[in-house]
Amino acid sequence: MTTSPALPHDAIVLQNVEKQFGDHVVLNNVSMSVSSGEVVALIGPSGAGKSTLLRCINLLERPTSGSITVEGVTIQVDHSIKAKELAALRSRVGMVFQSFNLFPHLTVLRNISLPQQRVLGRSQAEAEERAMTLLERVGLADKAKQYPGRCSGGQQQRIAIARALALDPKVMLFDEPTSALDPELGLEVLAVMRELADEGMTMVVVTHEMQFARDVSDHVVVMSDGAILEEGKPHEIFASPSQPRTRAFLRAVLDRQ
Protein backbone atom coordinates (compact mmCIF):
# COMPACT_ATOMS: atom_id res chain seq x y z
CA MET A 1 0.00 0.00 0.00
CA THR A 2 1.36 3.42 -0.92
CA THR A 3 0.31 6.76 0.47
CA SER A 4 0.06 9.84 -1.68
CA PRO A 5 1.95 12.94 -0.56
CA ALA A 6 -0.21 15.56 1.10
CA LEU A 7 -1.55 18.08 -1.38
CA PRO A 8 -0.54 21.72 -0.88
CA HIS A 9 -3.06 23.77 1.08
CA ASP A 10 -3.18 27.15 2.80
CA ALA A 11 -1.17 26.67 5.99
CA ILE A 12 -1.66 30.29 7.11
CA VAL A 13 -4.45 32.68 6.16
CA LEU A 14 -4.66 36.23 7.53
CA GLN A 15 -7.79 38.20 6.69
CA ASN A 16 -8.16 41.94 7.30
CA VAL A 17 -5.75 41.92 10.24
CA GLU A 18 -5.42 45.26 12.00
CA LYS A 19 -3.38 46.18 15.06
CA GLN A 20 -3.47 49.47 16.92
CA PHE A 21 -1.52 50.70 19.92
CA GLY A 22 -3.72 53.52 21.13
CA ASP A 23 -4.19 55.82 18.13
CA HIS A 24 -1.18 54.39 16.32
CA VAL A 25 -2.06 51.94 13.52
CA VAL A 26 0.71 49.32 13.32
CA LEU A 27 -1.04 46.96 10.90
CA ASN A 28 -3.60 48.28 8.46
CA ASN A 29 -5.99 45.72 6.96
CA VAL A 30 -3.37 43.06 6.13
CA SER A 31 -4.49 39.93 4.26
CA MET A 32 -2.13 37.21 3.05
CA SER A 33 -1.88 33.45 2.73
CA VAL A 34 1.01 31.00 2.93
CA SER A 35 0.79 27.60 1.25
CA SER A 36 2.03 24.47 2.99
CA GLY A 37 5.72 23.95 2.31
CA GLU A 38 6.15 27.56 1.17
CA VAL A 39 8.89 29.89 2.41
CA VAL A 40 7.70 33.51 2.62
CA ALA A 41 10.14 36.34 3.28
CA LEU A 42 8.75 39.50 4.88
CA ILE A 43 10.95 42.46 3.98
CA GLY A 44 10.70 46.22 4.23
CA PRO A 45 12.00 49.19 6.20
CA SER A 46 12.21 49.24 9.99
CA GLY A 47 8.88 50.13 11.56
CA ALA A 48 6.89 48.62 8.67
CA GLY A 49 5.03 46.23 10.99
CA LYS A 50 6.80 43.02 9.92
CA SER A 51 7.63 41.69 13.39
CA THR A 52 4.22 42.68 14.72
CA LEU A 53 2.55 40.77 11.89
CA LEU A 54 4.67 37.71 12.65
CA ARG A 55 3.73 37.87 16.35
CA CYS A 56 0.06 38.18 15.42
CA ILE A 57 0.18 34.82 13.61
CA ASN A 58 0.62 32.96 16.90
CA LEU A 59 -1.18 35.65 18.91
CA LEU A 60 1.80 36.78 20.92
CA GLU A 61 0.29 40.10 19.85
CA ARG A 62 -3.48 40.08 19.67
CA PRO A 63 -4.72 41.99 16.62
CA THR A 64 -7.41 44.61 17.05
CA SER A 65 -9.54 42.98 14.35
CA GLY A 66 -9.45 40.34 11.64
CA SER A 67 -9.08 36.57 11.56
CA ILE A 68 -6.12 34.20 11.66
CA THR A 69 -6.09 30.61 10.42
CA VAL A 70 -3.15 28.28 11.01
CA GLU A 71 -3.38 24.71 9.73
CA GLY A 72 -7.16 24.55 10.05
CA VAL A 73 -7.50 26.44 13.36
CA THR A 74 -9.31 29.76 12.84
CA ILE A 75 -9.52 32.51 15.42
CA GLN A 76 -11.68 35.60 15.04
CA VAL A 77 -9.74 38.05 17.16
CA ASP A 78 -12.64 40.39 17.89
CA HIS A 79 -14.44 37.55 19.71
CA SER A 80 -13.41 36.06 23.03
CA ILE A 81 -10.69 33.48 22.48
CA LYS A 82 -10.96 30.24 24.42
CA ALA A 83 -7.79 28.87 26.00
CA LYS A 84 -8.33 25.62 24.10
CA GLU A 85 -8.44 27.46 20.76
CA LEU A 86 -5.31 29.44 21.57
CA ALA A 87 -3.44 26.28 22.63
CA ALA A 88 -4.53 24.50 19.44
CA LEU A 89 -3.24 27.32 17.24
CA ARG A 90 0.05 27.72 19.10
CA SER A 91 0.71 23.98 19.04
CA ARG A 92 0.99 24.27 15.27
CA VAL A 93 3.53 27.09 15.32
CA GLY A 94 7.21 27.26 16.27
CA MET A 95 8.92 30.63 16.65
CA VAL A 96 12.53 31.76 16.67
CA PHE A 97 13.30 35.26 17.94
CA GLN A 98 16.13 37.75 17.45
CA SER A 99 17.26 37.10 21.01
CA PHE A 100 17.70 33.41 21.64
CA ASN A 101 15.53 33.21 24.79
CA LEU A 102 17.36 30.15 26.12
CA PHE A 103 17.34 29.36 29.85
CA PRO A 104 20.89 30.14 31.04
CA HIS A 105 20.65 27.82 34.07
CA LEU A 106 19.70 24.76 32.00
CA THR A 107 22.00 22.72 29.82
CA VAL A 108 21.50 22.82 26.06
CA LEU A 109 19.89 19.37 26.27
CA ARG A 110 17.41 20.44 28.98
CA ASN A 111 16.57 23.64 27.07
CA ILE A 112 15.26 21.41 24.28
CA SER A 113 13.85 18.48 26.28
CA LEU A 114 12.01 20.32 29.06
CA PRO A 115 9.46 22.09 26.79
CA GLN A 116 8.62 18.73 25.21
CA GLN A 117 7.85 17.26 28.63
CA ARG A 118 5.76 20.27 29.67
CA VAL A 119 3.89 20.85 26.40
CA LEU A 120 3.71 17.43 24.74
CA GLY A 121 3.82 15.19 27.82
CA ARG A 122 6.83 13.22 26.63
CA SER A 123 8.90 11.29 29.13
CA GLN A 124 12.36 12.66 29.90
CA ALA A 125 13.95 9.80 27.97
CA GLU A 126 11.76 10.42 24.89
CA ALA A 127 12.34 14.17 25.07
CA GLU A 128 16.10 13.80 25.38
CA GLU A 129 16.24 11.34 22.50
CA ARG A 130 14.35 13.80 20.29
CA ALA A 131 16.58 16.65 21.52
CA MET A 132 19.76 14.75 20.62
CA THR A 133 18.39 13.95 17.15
CA LEU A 134 17.76 17.64 16.55
CA LEU A 135 21.11 18.73 17.99
CA GLU A 136 22.78 16.37 15.54
CA ARG A 137 20.68 17.87 12.77
CA VAL A 138 21.90 21.40 13.55
CA GLY A 139 25.48 20.22 14.08
CA LEU A 140 25.63 20.70 17.85
CA ALA A 141 25.38 17.23 19.42
CA ASP A 142 28.70 17.89 21.19
CA LYS A 143 27.17 20.87 23.04
CA ALA A 144 24.38 18.88 24.75
CA LYS A 145 25.89 19.10 28.25
CA GLN A 146 27.11 22.67 27.90
CA TYR A 147 25.23 25.74 29.16
CA PRO A 148 24.08 28.33 26.62
CA GLY A 149 26.55 30.92 27.90
CA ARG A 150 29.40 28.69 26.75
CA CYS A 151 28.08 28.69 23.16
CA SER A 152 28.53 31.32 20.46
CA GLY A 153 25.61 33.42 19.30
CA GLY A 154 25.24 31.37 16.14
CA GLN A 155 25.25 28.15 18.15
CA GLN A 156 22.64 29.54 20.56
CA GLN A 157 20.35 30.47 17.67
CA ARG A 158 20.70 26.97 16.20
CA ILE A 159 19.82 25.56 19.62
CA ALA A 160 16.75 27.83 19.66
CA ILE A 161 15.73 26.45 16.25
CA ALA A 162 16.17 22.88 17.54
CA ARG A 163 14.03 23.73 20.59
CA ALA A 164 11.23 25.06 18.36
CA LEU A 165 11.40 22.02 16.07
CA ALA A 166 11.25 19.66 19.04
CA LEU A 167 7.59 20.58 19.58
CA ASP A 168 6.77 19.27 16.07
CA PRO A 169 5.28 22.48 14.63
CA LYS A 170 3.66 22.56 11.22
CA VAL A 171 4.76 26.16 10.64
CA MET A 172 7.97 27.96 11.65
CA LEU A 173 8.17 31.73 12.19
CA PHE A 174 11.54 33.49 12.24
CA ASP A 175 11.85 37.08 13.48
CA GLU A 176 15.14 38.42 12.08
CA PRO A 177 17.02 35.36 13.38
CA THR A 178 20.45 36.62 12.28
CA SER A 179 20.18 40.32 13.17
CA ALA A 180 22.01 39.93 16.50
CA LEU A 181 24.83 37.88 14.97
CA ASP A 182 28.09 38.64 13.23
CA PRO A 183 27.85 37.81 9.51
CA GLU A 184 29.94 34.64 9.84
CA LEU A 185 27.79 33.29 12.67
CA GLY A 186 24.65 34.31 10.80
CA LEU A 187 25.66 32.03 7.93
CA GLU A 188 25.49 29.02 10.29
CA VAL A 189 21.88 29.84 11.10
CA LEU A 190 20.93 30.55 7.49
CA ALA A 191 22.38 27.17 6.48
CA VAL A 192 20.02 25.40 8.91
CA MET A 193 17.08 27.45 7.62
CA ARG A 194 17.98 26.53 4.02
CA GLU A 195 17.88 22.85 5.00
CA LEU A 196 14.45 23.30 6.59
CA ALA A 197 13.23 25.00 3.43
CA ASP A 198 14.61 22.16 1.29
CA GLU A 199 12.76 19.66 3.49
CA GLY A 200 9.44 21.42 2.88
CA MET A 201 8.89 23.20 6.20
CA THR A 202 6.36 26.02 5.95
CA MET A 203 8.24 29.16 7.01
CA VAL A 204 7.57 32.87 7.38
CA VAL A 205 10.79 34.81 7.82
CA VAL A 206 11.19 38.47 8.73
CA THR A 207 14.65 39.23 7.41
CA HIS A 208 17.11 41.86 6.25
CA GLU A 209 19.15 39.09 4.57
CA MET A 210 18.27 39.93 0.99
CA GLN A 211 20.27 37.04 -0.44
CA PHE A 212 18.22 34.59 1.63
CA ALA A 213 14.99 36.29 0.56
CA ARG A 214 16.06 36.16 -3.09
CA ASP A 215 17.57 32.66 -3.19
CA VAL A 216 15.61 30.60 -0.65
CA SER A 217 12.12 32.06 -0.36
CA ASP A 218 9.28 31.08 -2.70
CA HIS A 219 7.41 34.33 -2.17
CA VAL A 220 8.41 37.80 -1.02
CA VAL A 221 6.07 40.20 0.78
CA VAL A 222 7.17 43.84 1.01
CA MET A 223 5.70 45.85 3.87
CA SER A 224 5.72 49.57 4.56
CA ASP A 225 3.76 51.68 7.05
CA GLY A 226 1.80 48.71 8.39
CA ALA A 227 0.53 47.49 5.04
CA ILE A 228 1.59 45.15 2.25
CA LEU A 229 3.16 47.28 -0.44
CA GLU A 230 3.58 44.50 -3.00
CA GLU A 231 4.30 40.80 -3.17
CA GLY A 232 5.42 38.25 -5.69
CA LYS A 233 8.10 35.78 -6.73
CA PRO A 234 11.60 36.76 -5.57
CA HIS A 235 12.91 37.36 -9.09
CA GLU A 236 9.96 39.68 -9.80
CA ILE A 237 10.38 41.73 -6.63
CA PHE A 238 14.16 42.04 -6.89
CA ALA A 239 14.43 42.53 -10.66
CA SER A 240 11.45 44.78 -11.32
CA PRO A 241 9.56 45.99 -8.24
CA SER A 242 6.40 47.86 -9.15
CA GLN A 243 6.40 50.35 -6.28
CA PRO A 244 8.83 53.30 -5.96
CA ARG A 245 9.02 52.68 -2.17
CA THR A 246 10.16 49.09 -2.80
CA ARG A 247 12.76 50.26 -5.31
CA ALA A 248 14.13 52.80 -2.82
CA PHE A 249 14.26 50.24 -0.01
CA LEU A 250 16.01 47.57 -2.08
CA ARG A 251 18.49 50.08 -3.46
CA ALA A 252 19.41 51.23 0.06
CA VAL A 253 19.70 47.68 1.47
CA LEU A 254 21.54 46.12 -1.47
CA ASP A 255 24.02 49.01 -1.70
CA ARG A 256 24.88 48.43 1.97
CA GLN A 257 25.44 44.67 1.63
Side-chain angles (χ1 to χ4, degrees):
M1 179 180 174
T2 59
T3 56
S4 300
L7 294 173
H9 59 276
D10 284 338
I12 301 171
V13 180
L14 307 180
Q15 291 186 308
N16 309 118
V17 171
E18 299 205 352
K19 175 65 179 177
Q20 291 181 241
F21 292 109
D23 294 332
H24 180 51
V25 178
V26 183
L27 295 175
N28 185 10
N29 199 32
V30 174
S31 296
M32 62 178 279
S33 62
V34 180
S35 297
S36 63
E38 190 175 34
V39 179
V40 173
L42 287 178
I43 68 171
S46 297
K50 305 181 300 294
S51 293
T52 300
L53 181 64
L54 202 71
R55 292 167 67 88
C56 283
I57 293 174
N58 63 356
L59 292 174
L60 285 177
E61 291 283 0
R62 181 166 175 171
T64 310
S65 62
S67 71
I68 296 166
T69 300
V70 179
E71 287 290 350
V73 176
T74 298
I75 290 183
Q76 302 284 347
V77 299
D78 50 359
H79 299 169
S80 62
I81 301 173
K82 297 176 182 175
K84 188 176 179 180
E85 293 175 321
L86 186 58
L89 183 138
R90 286 182 174 163
S91 71
R92 289 155 168 77
V93 182
M95 187 158 183
V96 177
F97 301 86
Q98 295 179 44
S99 53
F100 322 122
N101 292 352
L102 299 173
F103 293 113
H105 62 291
L106 298 180
T107 64
V108 167
L109 184 66
R110 287 303 284 155
N111 262 282
I112 301 171
S113 61
L114 185 60
Q116 298 176 63
Q117 293 175 249
R118 295 277 175 84
V119 177
L120 301 180
R122 288 177 179 157
S123 69
Q124 184 168 340
E126 288 174 318
E128 291 187 352
E129 181 180 0
R130 174 74 169 140
M132 286 306 303
T133 298
L134 289 166
L135 283 172
E136 288 173 13
R137 181 176 178 180
V138 300
L140 293 173
D142 60 329
K143 299 293 184 181
K145 295 183 180 179
Q146 295 276 10
Y147 288 89
R150 301 293 299 274
C151 301
S152 71
Q155 289 169 342
Q156 289 188 58
Q157 193 62 294
R158 284 186 280 159
I159 293 162
I161 292 172
R163 179 182 59 185
L165 291 172
L167 298 178
D168 300 330
K170 296 182 180 296
V171 170
M172 285 285 285
L173 309 177
F174 294 85
D175 188 6
E176 298 193 29
T178 61
S179 65
L181 303 175
D182 293 335
E184 191 173 350
L185 297 178
L187 289 176
E188 302 173 357
V189 176
L190 291 171
V192 172
M193 293 171 65
R194 283 174 184 265
E195 288 181 16
L196 289 175
D198 290 343
E199 293 166 8
M201 173 63 77
T202 306
M203 298 162 58
V204 182
V205 185
V206 172
T207 185
H208 288 296
E209 301 277 359
M210 293 301 110
Q211 187 173 347
F212 180 89
R214 184 169 46 204
D215 298 345
V216 180
S217 69
D218 303 299
H219 196 77
V220 174
V221 175
V222 186
M223 292 189 66
S224 181
D225 299 320
I228 293 177
L229 199 58
E230 62 180 302
E231 57 183 304
K233 296 293 183 185
H235 68 272
E236 297 168 350
I237 296 297
F238 283 92
S240 53
S242 63
Q243 298 296 319
R245 184 70 183 91
T246 304
R247 290 196 289 273
F249 167 73
L250 289 175
R251 188 163 52 244
V253 174
L254 294 172
D255 284 351
R256 198 169 64 232
Q257 292 187 347

